[in-house]
Amino acid sequence: MDAETPVRRRRTRIQTEKRELILDAALDVFSQHGFRGATIDQIAEAAGMSKPNLLYYFRSKEAMFTTLIERLLQTWLAPLRELDDIGDPIGELRSYIRRKLEMARDYPRESRLFANEILQGAPRIQHLIEGELKPLVDEKAALIKGWMKAGKIARTDPWHLIFSIWATTQHYADFDIQVRTVLGPDRGGDGRFEDAARYLEQLFLEGLRPKG
Amino acid sequence: MDAETPVRRRRTRIQTEKRELILDAALDVFSQHGFRGATIDQIAEAAGMSKPNLLYYFRSKEAMFTTLIERLLQTWLAPLRELDDIGDPIGELRSYIRRKLEMARDYPRESRLFANEILQGAPRIQHLIEGELKPLVDEKAALIKGWMKAGKIARTDPWHLIFSIWATTQHYADFDIQVRTVLGPDRGGDGRFEDAARYLEQLFLEGLRPKG
DNA sequence: CGCATTTTTGACCGATTGGACAAACGTTAG
DNA sequence: CTAACGTTTGTCCAATCGGTCAAAAATGCG
């Protein structure tokens, strides 16, 4: 039944707490070194416990990873789920971009872990991309297409529009080192996310052609 | 003197050929599994030779990787180097975006290898980012800033503009699996790069706000 | 308290890893 | 032919890996 915990029936308070502790440490290590680059010993040390103790709460390294990434995907897709037909389309897209950028700022580990998995060809989550992500994107693409037909936003490809929002926002988490290095000590500080937010808003709404 | 080959003075024709063969195989394996995920045995098999034979041409796994990524960075930055003040600014940016997208299409292995390294915090190429990439970006950012002052393109942040071009184009190499899965069998075929090119041109030039 | 259950750990194991090394093989110039 | 040099490989090694296991420690419970 339960493939992750050694306990069949019910989950102890300690088990719940320790599992969360381990998952947090595992997120640290996995996001920094990838699945193969991470070792159970590293995760154990980050969690402040012994290796066999980790394997008491998770049956394998793989189990930690899948538990982590399945949970992660949900929070990662939440902003897209909230995209709906209530407000005005431009405002909806603007706040979606803003929320995705905030997630890149506040949850860079999650973004990197996801990026790492996709980079390697998504060997462990391909079924989730097909079964969850694709249907959601198709649904939202249809919504966006409706906005285009109604003349609310410019006509273009909704799928690639979503890709470009993902790419530009997650770039600030996944390529953080490069961004900060290129921006330098002064411009690469905490303010870089506000700069990015301002820039992206202009890019997506106005483009680069001069107004004159 | 030469830290990579076993031969001090000169490089044989066989050495030159075999080193290229190995580097190509190494690019395959490294780009798919990352540095730690790749094994010398995998590279050896991909190159059709034995493991000790590999280590005759490259003193270590690390030597293969650094040789590969240092060379790669040059070709990867070439399109940005070509950005200059000759043509009109809009056309320059448009062709830069097109060339970067073509590179994502034609050299996905290089893109993924680079992305993988940056994701892990660029432990092996940080000096290149500081010493080569940053100065180049600063130089081109100044060029773009001149275009803005001259009213040739809209005023915005040149650094983040460059980031967004990198992010959107490389996304089609690095997140290829996700892109193809989400687009589905029909739209995710070979035509996806033309669709992306059309979309990105509109995004960067016009943005999403309707013209009416 | 005493007993059962849960939690923790030291010791250990087989497999895989990057790499060393010497011997064998191939090639070429004298 | 043969000596010298470049190339290739079988074998081996220490380190590290994910994971097991039995026993000890802690905890909960009557």
Side-chain angles (χ1 to χ4, degrees), chain A residues 177-189 192, chain B residues 134 138 159 163:
Chain A
I177 294 277
Q178 179 177 263
V179 166
R180 278 190 290 111
T181 304
V182 168
L183 288 180
D186 33 331
R187 296 175 37 84
R192 67 189 188 278
Chain B
K134 176 174 168 25
D138 285 345
W159 284 272
F163 291 154

PDB file of all heavy atoms in Angstrom, chain A residues 177-189 192, chain B residues 134 138 159 163:
ATOM      1  N   ILE A 177      23.459  32.223 -10.580  1.00  0.00           N
ATOM      2  CA  ILE A 177      24.889  32.542 -10.495  1.00  0.00           C
ATOM      3  C   ILE A 177      25.316  33.421 -11.664  1.00  0.00           C
ATOM      4  O   ILE A 177      26.009  34.421 -11.491  1.00  0.00           O
ATOM      5  CB  ILE A 177      25.728  31.244 -10.498  1.00  0.00           C
ATOM      6  CG1 ILE A 177      25.453  30.444  -9.232  1.00  0.00           C
ATOM      7  CG2 ILE A 177      27.206  31.563 -10.602  1.00  0.00           C
ATOM      8  CD1 ILE A 177      26.232  30.896  -8.052  1.00  0.00           C
ATOM      9  N   GLN A 178      24.893  33.046 -12.840  1.00  0.00           N
ATOM     10  CA  GLN A 178      25.263  33.816 -14.020  1.00  0.00           C
ATOM     11  C   GLN A 178      24.651  35.212 -13.974  1.00  0.00           C
ATOM     12  O   GLN A 178      25.322  36.205 -14.254  1.00  0.00           O
ATOM     13  CB  GLN A 178      24.805  33.085 -15.281  1.00  0.00           C
ATOM     14  CG  GLN A 178      25.121  33.806 -16.559  1.00  0.00           C
ATOM     15  CD  GLN A 178      24.697  32.990 -17.774  1.00  0.00           C
ATOM     16  OE1 GLN A 178      25.486  32.293 -18.376  1.00  0.00           O
ATOM     17  NE2 GLN A 178      23.426  33.077 -18.137  1.00  0.00           N
ATOM     18  N   VAL A 179      23.393  35.286 -13.593  1.00  0.00           N
ATOM     19  CA  VAL A 179      22.721  36.584 -13.517  1.00  0.00           C
ATOM     20  C   VAL A 179      23.442  37.504 -12.545  1.00  0.00           C
ATOM     21  O   VAL A 179      23.775  38.646 -12.879  1.00  0.00           O
ATOM     22  CB  VAL A 179      21.252  36.390 -13.085  1.00  0.00           C
ATOM     23  CG1 VAL A 179      20.642  37.721 -12.667  1.00  0.00           C
ATOM     24  CG2 VAL A 179      20.442  35.772 -14.212  1.00  0.00           C
ATOM     25  N   ARG A 180      23.726  36.984 -11.361  1.00  0.00           N
ATOM     26  CA  ARG A 180      24.367  37.837 -10.360  1.00  0.00           C
ATOM     27  C   ARG A 180      25.787  38.226 -10.769  1.00  0.00           C
ATOM     28  O   ARG A 180      26.224  39.355 -10.543  1.00  0.00           O
ATOM     29  CB  ARG A 180      24.367  37.135  -8.999  1.00  0.00           C
ATOM     30  CG  ARG A 180      23.025  37.315  -8.268  1.00  0.00           C
ATOM     31  CD  ARG A 180      23.075  36.852  -6.830  1.00  0.00           C
ATOM     32  NE  ARG A 180      23.178  35.406  -6.724  1.00  0.00           N
ATOM     33  CZ  ARG A 180      24.252  34.775  -6.292  1.00  0.00           C
ATOM     34  NH1 ARG A 180      25.315  35.460  -5.907  1.00  0.00           N
ATOM     35  NH2 ARG A 180      24.260  33.467  -6.238  1.00  0.00           N
ATOM     36  N   THR A 181      26.499  37.286 -11.375  1.00  0.00           N
ATOM     37  CA  THR A 181      27.866  37.602 -11.791  1.00  0.00           C
ATOM     38  C   THR A 181      27.874  38.664 -12.885  1.00  0.00           C
ATOM     39  O   THR A 181      28.663  39.611 -12.832  1.00  0.00           O
ATOM     40  CB  THR A 181      28.572  36.332 -12.301  1.00  0.00           C
ATOM     41  OG1 THR A 181      28.537  35.332 -11.285  1.00  0.00           O
ATOM     42  CG2 THR A 181      30.018  36.631 -12.664  1.00  0.00           C
ATOM     43  N   VAL A 182      26.995  38.508 -13.856  1.00  0.00           N
ATOM     44  CA  VAL A 182      26.979  39.463 -14.968  1.00  0.00           C
ATOM     45  C   VAL A 182      26.512  40.836 -14.496  1.00  0.00           C
ATOM     46  O   VAL A 182      27.051  41.859 -14.921  1.00  0.00           O
ATOM     47  CB  VAL A 182      26.079  38.939 -16.110  1.00  0.00           C
ATOM     48  CG1 VAL A 182      25.815  40.037 -17.125  1.00  0.00           C
ATOM     49  CG2 VAL A 182      26.739  37.749 -16.791  1.00  0.00           C
ATOM     50  N   LEU A 183      25.528  40.852 -13.615  1.00  0.00           N
ATOM     51  CA  LEU A 183      25.033  42.149 -13.147  1.00  0.00           C
ATOM     52  C   LEU A 183      26.053  42.850 -12.255  1.00  0.00           C
ATOM     53  O   LEU A 183      26.035  44.074 -12.131  1.00  0.00           O
ATOM     54  CB  LEU A 183      23.714  41.970 -12.384  1.00  0.00           C
ATOM     55  CG  LEU A 183      22.499  41.633 -13.247  1.00  0.00           C
ATOM     56  CD1 LEU A 183      21.264  41.480 -12.386  1.00  0.00           C
ATOM     57  CD2 LEU A 183      22.271  42.697 -14.314  1.00  0.00           C
ATOM     58  N   GLY A 184      26.925  42.087 -11.656  1.00  0.00           N
ATOM     59  CA  GLY A 184      27.943  42.697 -10.806  1.00  0.00           C
ATOM     60  C   GLY A 184      27.444  42.942  -9.392  1.00  0.00           C
ATOM     61  O   GLY A 184      26.265  42.733  -9.091  1.00  0.00           O
ATOM     62  N   PRO A 185      28.343  43.365  -8.506  1.00  0.00           N
ATOM     63  CA  PRO A 185      28.014  43.482  -7.086  1.00  0.00           C
ATOM     64  C   PRO A 185      26.899  44.486  -6.808  1.00  0.00           C
ATOM     65  O   PRO A 185      26.029  44.233  -5.969  1.00  0.00           O
ATOM     66  CB  PRO A 185      29.327  43.965  -6.458  1.00  0.00           C
ATOM     67  CG  PRO A 185      30.382  43.693  -7.479  1.00  0.00           C
ATOM     68  CD  PRO A 185      29.723  43.790  -8.802  1.00  0.00           C
ATOM     69  N   ASP A 186      26.899  45.611  -7.536  1.00  0.00           N
ATOM     70  CA  ASP A 186      25.917  46.648  -7.220  1.00  0.00           C
ATOM     71  C   ASP A 186      24.539  46.316  -7.796  1.00  0.00           C
ATOM     72  O   ASP A 186      23.540  46.292  -7.084  1.00  0.00           O
ATOM     73  CB  ASP A 186      26.395  48.014  -7.731  1.00  0.00           C
ATOM     74  CG  ASP A 186      27.214  47.896  -9.003  1.00  0.00           C
ATOM     75  OD1 ASP A 186      27.870  46.838  -9.172  1.00  0.00           O
ATOM     76  OD2 ASP A 186      27.203  48.815  -9.827  1.00  0.00           O
ATOM     77  N   ARG A 187      24.471  46.018  -9.098  1.00  0.00           N
ATOM     78  CA  ARG A 187      23.176  45.761  -9.730  1.00  0.00           C
ATOM     79  C   ARG A 187      22.682  44.335  -9.475  1.00  0.00           C
ATOM     80  O   ARG A 187      21.518  44.026  -9.698  1.00  0.00           O
ATOM     81  CB  ARG A 187      23.275  45.995 -11.235  1.00  0.00           C
ATOM     82  CG  ARG A 187      23.586  47.444 -11.607  1.00  0.00           C
ATOM     83  CD  ARG A 187      23.791  47.568 -13.113  1.00  0.00           C
ATOM     84  NE  ARG A 187      22.892  46.688 -13.842  1.00  0.00           N
ATOM     85  CZ  ARG A 187      21.640  46.999 -14.158  1.00  0.00           C
ATOM     86  NH1 ARG A 187      21.180  48.181 -13.815  1.00  0.00           N
ATOM     87  NH2 ARG A 187      20.891  46.154 -14.803  1.00  0.00           N
ATOM     88  N   GLY A 188      23.577  43.452  -9.029  1.00  0.00           N
ATOM     89  CA  GLY A 188      23.200  42.064  -8.833  1.00  0.00           C
ATOM     90  C   GLY A 188      22.703  41.752  -7.428  1.00  0.00           C
ATOM     91  O   GLY A 188      22.534  40.591  -7.079  1.00  0.00           O
ATOM     92  N   GLY A 189      22.464  42.764  -6.632  1.00  0.00           N
ATOM     93  CA  GLY A 189      22.003  42.545  -5.261  1.00  0.00           C
ATOM     94  C   GLY A 189      20.528  42.173  -5.212  1.00  0.00           C
ATOM     95  O   GLY A 189      19.981  41.655  -6.182  1.00  0.00           O
ATOM     96  N   ARG A 192      17.703  42.984  -7.930  1.00  0.00           N
ATOM     97  CA  ARG A 192      17.661  42.463  -9.294  1.00  0.00           C
ATOM     98  C   ARG A 192      16.293  41.908  -9.663  1.00  0.00           C
ATOM     99  O   ARG A 192      15.908  41.923 -10.840  1.00  0.00           O
ATOM    100  CB  ARG A 192      18.735  41.392  -9.496  1.00  0.00           C
ATOM    101  CG  ARG A 192      18.527  40.114  -8.707  1.00  0.00           C
ATOM    102  CD  ARG A 192      19.769  39.243  -8.831  1.00  0.00           C
ATOM    103  NE  ARG A 192      19.604  37.913  -8.260  1.00  0.00           N
ATOM    104  CZ  ARG A 192      19.737  37.621  -6.974  1.00  0.00           C
ATOM    105  NH1 ARG A 192      20.018  38.577  -6.093  1.00  0.00           N
ATOM    106  NH2 ARG A 192      19.580  36.380  -6.543  1.00  0.00           N
TER     107      ARG A 192
ATOM    108  N   LYS B 134      30.956  38.230 -18.635  1.00  0.00           N
ATOM    109  CA  LYS B 134      30.513  39.525 -18.087  1.00  0.00           C
ATOM    110  C   LYS B 134      31.036  40.716 -18.887  1.00  0.00           C
ATOM    111  O   LYS B 134      30.246  41.608 -19.241  1.00  0.00           O
ATOM    112  CB  LYS B 134      30.910  39.640 -16.625  1.00  0.00           C
ATOM    113  CG  LYS B 134      30.568  41.000 -16.001  1.00  0.00           C
ATOM    114  CD  LYS B 134      30.852  41.012 -14.520  1.00  0.00           C
ATOM    115  CE  LYS B 134      30.811  42.409 -13.898  1.00  0.00           C
ATOM    116  NZ  LYS B 134      30.014  43.410 -14.568  1.00  0.00           N
ATOM    117  N   ASP B 138      28.630  43.368 -20.742  1.00  0.00           N
ATOM    118  CA  ASP B 138      28.689  44.798 -20.405  1.00  0.00           C
ATOM    119  C   ASP B 138      28.898  45.644 -21.657  1.00  0.00           C
ATOM    120  O   ASP B 138      28.261  46.684 -21.844  1.00  0.00           O
ATOM    121  CB  ASP B 138      29.821  45.047 -19.401  1.00  0.00           C
ATOM    122  CG  ASP B 138      29.452  44.570 -18.001  1.00  0.00           C
ATOM    123  OD1 ASP B 138      28.250  44.331 -17.760  1.00  0.00           O
ATOM    124  OD2 ASP B 138      30.346  44.436 -17.152  1.00  0.00           O
ATOM    125  N   TRP B 159      20.687  44.702 -19.784  1.00  0.00           N
ATOM    126  CA  TRP B 159      21.156  43.426 -19.224  1.00  0.00           C
ATOM    127  C   TRP B 159      20.009  42.422 -19.150  1.00  0.00           C
ATOM    128  O   TRP B 159      20.148  41.283 -19.583  1.00  0.00           O
ATOM    129  CB  TRP B 159      21.766  43.647 -17.831  1.00  0.00           C
ATOM    130  CG  TRP B 159      23.132  44.242 -17.887  1.00  0.00           C
ATOM    131  CD1 TRP B 159      24.318  43.582 -17.991  1.00  0.00           C
ATOM    132  CD2 TRP B 159      23.454  45.636 -17.847  1.00  0.00           C
ATOM    133  NE1 TRP B 159      25.363  44.477 -18.017  1.00  0.00           N
ATOM    134  CE2 TRP B 159      24.875  45.745 -17.921  1.00  0.00           C
ATOM    135  CE3 TRP B 159      22.704  46.809 -17.755  1.00  0.00           C
ATOM    136  CZ2 TRP B 159      25.529  46.975 -17.918  1.00  0.00           C
ATOM    137  CZ3 TRP B 159      23.358  48.030 -17.736  1.00  0.00           C
ATOM    138  CH2 TRP B 159      24.759  48.106 -17.824  1.00  0.00           C
ATOM    139  N   PHE B 163      19.345  38.796 -20.926  1.00  0.00           N
ATOM    140  CA  PHE B 163      18.920  37.609 -20.177  1.00  0.00           C
ATOM    141  C   PHE B 163      17.672  36.994 -20.796  1.00  0.00           C
ATOM    142  O   PHE B 163      17.573  35.767 -20.945  1.00  0.00           O
ATOM    143  CB  PHE B 163      18.626  37.966 -18.711  1.00  0.00           C
ATOM    144  CG  PHE B 163      19.842  38.336 -17.921  1.00  0.00           C
ATOM    145  CD1 PHE B 163      19.741  39.175 -16.815  1.00  0.00           C
ATOM    146  CD2 PHE B 163      21.100  37.864 -18.271  1.00  0.00           C
ATOM    147  CE1 PHE B 163      20.873  39.524 -16.078  1.00  0.00           C
ATOM    148  CE2 PHE B 163      22.232  38.212 -17.545  1.00  0.00           C
ATOM    149  CZ  PHE B 163      22.113  39.054 -16.443  1.00  0.00           C
TER     150      PHE B 163
END
